Amino acid sequence: MVSSSYEYTQTLMGTTVSLTLLEPNETAAHTVFQTIKMLEDKLTVNRSLSEVMSINLAAGKHAVTVSQPVFSLIEQAQKVSLHFNSCFNLAIGPLVKIWKIGFKGYKVPSAKLIKQQLLLIDPKNIELNANKHSVFLKKQGMEIDLGAIAKGYIADVIKLVLHEQQVYQGIINLGGNVLTLGGSLTDKNGYWHVGLRKPFSTNDKLSGIIKVKNKSIVTSGIYERFFMQNDHLYHHIFNPQTGYPLDNELESVTIISDSSLEGDIYSTVFYGWGLDKSSKYLQKHQNLSAIFLLKNKTIALINPDNFIFQKIDTQYKIKAD
Ligand code: ADP
Ligand code: MG
């Protein structure tokens, strides 16, 4: 990316994770990748064993005690699912599993099967015991899926890990979640430059560049994991009311925030709310910024005080207020 930087990469969490530092630091890089592995092992539902899988496998049978970070993340995700009046739902697993979007064997499931799975995704049926750190899924077949927030949570932990290693400048990309630490040395104003992909571009074209310092940037979009069938696009964020992928005016939502977990939560919440409702919310939350890419090729920049957006793709127009 820049000449005076050191980049470390590994394939983790089904994506390429890259860490860019201003000075070589093998120890810090090693600790970062080990931490990601350790957390992925606890949180994943894409393997047969993990702490979250042990909860899912005991659904309808018994409660499972999990480690403090897993419990705390589930607790936060349940709060968002219950109190936000949004599409965000940590119990979405049974739908994710039948659609398999982004994985081998993806397909449009039968309407009957979708209806059946909708009975298994009520977040109220997740019983938490804060004293025992235990989680009980009341109905057999229920599944917790933390896919919408795991990377955000992990990115925030990585920031702490790097600080413990006395690393205060750098950039980490978890594939869709980018965390910038401090400022960059290559930009005269100290901004990190983070590319925002042009939706559906096959050759990694950018719609623009986001310039920030010390912020998390999280993007949720319909173009990362999807499939086409009969001219219809099916992507990986579901409407828990219908059981089908959310369908609205948006191509993607990018959140610029201090906490990456918060960015990950809001990228999914705002994706479901759409531009108007999200803009109203953002008016009252000036510490959060967002970039919405719309299917009609406009870009809406909300609370642009925390970042600079340099548009590259001429197909898109910036929406005037
Ligand atoms: P990614 O970084 O993989 O693109 P996102 O943060 O956009 O992920 O979240 C998408 C993932 O969240 C899906 O792959 C699925 O695991 C999960 N998910 C899908 N629909 C919902 C929903 N309505 N609420 C919460 N999580 C969801
Ligand atoms: Mg998300």
Side-chain angles (χ1 to χ4, degrees):
M1 184 179 57
V2 277
S3 53
S4 59
S5 65
Y6 297 84
E7 190 173 344
Y8 303 87
T9 60
Q10 272 195 28
T11 303
L12 292 165
M13 302 188 292
T15 188
T16 304
V17 173
S18 72
L19 170 70
T20 304
L21 301 175
L22 302 184
E23 291 164 4
N25 191 332
E26 289 289 341
T27 313
H30 179 76
T31 315
V32 163
F33 291 126
Q34 284 306 111
T35 306
I36 296 173
K37 266 188 211 138
M38 183 265 291
L39 292 172
E40 185 187 13
D41 285 349
K42 289 181 193 293
L43 297 170
T44 186
V45 289
N46 298 323
R47 297 186 214 140
S48 52
L49 283 178
S50 74
E51 288 194 29
V52 176
M53 279 308 289
S54 67
I55 298 169
N56 293 346
L57 290 169
K61 296 182 200 143
H62 56 85
V64 172
T65 295
V66 291
S67 62
Q68 197 278 330
V70 174
F71 184 83
S72 149
L73 191 58
I74 290 175
E75 192 173 41
Q76 292 182 68
Q78 191 190 32
K79 265 194 199 131
V80 176
S81 306
L82 291 175
H83 304 301
F84 239 97
N85 196 14
S86 79
C87 72
F88 189 101
N89 183 340
L90 84 158
I92 204 83
L95 285 173
V96 175
K97 197 172 75 179
I98 57 166
W99 281 87
K100 299 195 184 73
I101 294 176
F103 295 91
K104 258 214 302 262
Y106 59 81
K107 60 167 183 297
V108 180
S110 71
K112 187 171 163 229
L113 183 57
I114 290 175
K115 230 169 136 186
Q116 220 171 295
Q117 300 300 80
L118 286 177
L119 303 173
L120 298 172
I121 63 164
D122 187 345
K124 286 203 280 295
N125 287 332
I126 300 178
E127 211 171 71
L128 301 184
N129 182 321
N131 294 324
K132 292 187 184 160
H133 283 167
S134 71
V135 185
F136 178 44
L137 308 182
K138 289 199 207 162
K139 286 191 183 180
Q140 192 171 359
M142 284 183 73
E143 287 185 36
I144 288 178
D145 181 316
L146 300 173
I149 54 167
K151 283 185 195 164
Y153 167 73
I154 292 173
D156 288 339
V157 174
I158 296 310
K159 185 173 178 167
L160 297 178
V161 165
L162 285 169
H163 282 178
E164 275 167 16
Q165 303 278 329
Q166 273 84 47
V167 175
Y168 301 101
Q169 279 172 298
I171 183 163
I172 178 141
N173 188 342
L174 304 177
N177 287 55
V178 176
L179 190 71
T180 62
L181 266 72
S184 146
L185 296 180
T186 44
D187 177 294
K188 69 177 188 319
N189 296 312
Y191 288 109
W192 291 102
H193 294 193
V194 179
L196 181 61
R197 246 190 80 191
K198 178 181 161 79
F200 304 109
S201 103
T202 44
N203 45 2
D204 287 342
K205 277 197 188 140
L206 299 180
S207 54
I209 291 173
I210 305 166
K211 299 182 183 178
V212 289
K213 279 180 221 175
N214 212 18
K215 292 277 178 198
S216 150
I217 302 175
V218 179
T219 300
S220 263
I222 61 172
Y223 57 88
E224 292 288 349
R225 284 196 270 142
F226 69 94
F227 69 89
M228 300 293 300
Q229 192 171 304
N230 298 334
D231 284 337
H232 193 93
L233 182 146
Y234 297 93
H235 64 86
H236 72 320
I237 307 172
F238 296 103
N239 180 339
Q241 308 294 313
T242 65
Y244 287 82
L246 275 158
D247 193 12
N248 61 17
E249 80 281 20
L250 300 174
E251 282 183 337
S252 71
V253 180
T254 299
I255 306 291
I256 296 135
S257 56
D258 292 327
S259 142
S260 195
L261 174 59
E262 205 174 77
D264 224 350
I265 291 170
Y266 281 110
S267 68
T268 307
V269 167
F270 289 169
Y271 186 78
W273 277 352
L275 177 61
D276 286 347
K277 185 167 177 182
S278 305
S279 301
K280 288 198 183 94
Y281 184 88
L282 282 159
Q283 267 173 15
K284 290 185 238 134
H285 297 82
Q286 298 280 332
N287 58 324
L288 280 180
S289 300
I291 301 172
F292 293 85
L293 262 57
L294 279 71
K295 288 175 182 161
N296 70 5
K297 307 298 169 206
T298 52
I299 301 178
L301 306 173
I302 317 285
N303 295 342
D305 291 351
N306 304 319
F307 69 97
I308 294 170
F309 184 73
Q310 185 187 330
K311 185 168 77 83
I312 292 181
D313 193 277
T314 49
Q315 208 191 356
Y316 285 83
K317 300 271 174 293
I318 305 248
K319 187 175 183 284
D321 285 331

